[in-house]
Amino acid sequence: HKRKAMKTILASREITIPENVEVNVKSRTVTVKGPRGTLTRTFKHLRLELRLITKKKLKVDVWFASRKELACVRTICSHIQNMFKGVIYGFRYKMRAVYAHFPINITCTNEGTLVEIRNFLGEKYIRKVPLRAGVTCTNSSQKDEIILEGNDIELVSNSAALIQQSTKVKNKDIRKFLDGIYVSEKTTVVSK
């Protein structure tokens, strides 16, 4: 017969809350307030305990966890730390247009919430990519570069992915046709 995996009685991890950040925890919903704004995230899909020990310490507990649930402890901590980083520094992704022949034209419209891509592989079709809520786009001073900014790392990186996926080359050898818009740099809005 199959041996049942041993369960760890208690796995816990503490997160230190940085200065000028206010954290609120209510039934696995974490709200982080900082100088750049507020972020909220729900972790109700996981069986764990989140609680504030002091104003500067947050504890994540998992009782009788299987191997998969143990892995979630550190993941949750990373998500919360990314929220701290977002409300203090913000996230900035730089994207560059790469082309061999036809110059790709990128414009940020609709107050920086919509990206329009023209002349991709010489196509007449205008690709319109709406960015996720809370993410803004600006044209860089550098040629063929755009900058995405926001407080939520998930939304900023997801918007970058949407832009990259909109310029997928169809029915060609992608090893040869490397045209597209790719992430060139990931930094923070406020320099550390």
Side-chain angles (χ1 to χ4, degrees):
H1 71 282
K2 200 174 171 189
R3 240 176 93 238
K4 204 163 189 300
M6 196 176 80
K7 289 194 170 185
T8 310
I9 293 173
L10 171 65
S12 62
R13 235 186 146 81
E14 281 182 14
I15 308 169
T16 308
I17 299 163
E19 295 295 321
N20 63 26
V21 169
E22 204 179 294
V23 178
N24 209 333
V25 180
K26 189 173 189 295
S27 63
R28 285 180 289 182
T29 302
V30 180
T31 308
V32 176
K33 202 171 171 188
R36 287 182 55 87
T38 311
L39 288 176
T40 306
R41 197 158 173 175
T42 309
F43 299 110
K44 292 211 171 163
H45 61 289
L46 293 168
R47 194 177 61 81
L48 45 81
E49 224 173 276
L50 286 164
R51 65 176 194 273
L52 281 167
I53 310 168
T54 62
K55 276 256 188 276
K56 293 283 155 216
K57 280 248 190 293
L58 177 73
K59 197 171 188 190
V60 182
D61 286 341
V62 178
W63 294 88
F64 301 106
S66 65
R67 197 163 163 216
K68 285 268 169 75
E69 287 167 333
L70 278 178
C72 293
V73 179
R74 183 143 190 180
T75 306
I76 291 289
C77 294
S78 298
H79 284 323
I80 294 167
Q81 275 157 350
N82 276 335
M83 286 164 81
F84 295 158
K85 202 173 166 188
V87 294
I88 299 171
Y89 304 109
F91 293 99
R92 174 182 286 160
Y93 276 37
K94 290 182 182 175
M95 297 189 83
R96 295 285 300 270
V98 176
Y99 50 84
H101 189 276
F102 296 103
I104 301 171
N105 183 295
I106 316 166
T107 45
C108 299
T109 55
N110 210 350
E111 282 127 40
T113 57
L114 184 76
V115 176
E116 288 185 353
I117 301 154
R118 289 180 174 81
N119 201 33
F120 174 68
L121 293 180
E123 293 173 13
K124 289 276 174 267
Y125 175 67
I126 299 167
R127 290 167 166 75
K128 292 188 170 113
V129 184
L131 300 181
R132 303 292 298 273
V135 181
T136 54
C137 157
T138 48
N139 280 76
S140 169
S141 54
Q142 207 170 343
K143 191 174 164 277
D144 299 324
E145 188 175 70
I146 56 165
I147 297 167
L148 300 180
E149 286 179 359
N151 292 348
D152 193 334
I153 193 168
E154 302 266 330
L155 298 179
V156 175
S157 56
N158 189 257
S159 300
L162 290 173
I163 293 169
Q164 185 178 330
Q165 286 172 352
S166 72
T167 57
K168 265 213 307 242
V169 181
K170 304 266 172 65
N171 308 327
K172 303 268 190 304
D173 183 358
I174 55 166
R175 293 169 299 180
K176 189 75 184 149
F177 290 81
L178 297 168
D179 293 28
I181 302 166
Y182 302 104
V183 174
S184 62
E185 195 186 337
K186 298 175 185 179
T187 55
T188 53
V189 179
V190 181
S191 52
K192 290 181 186 178

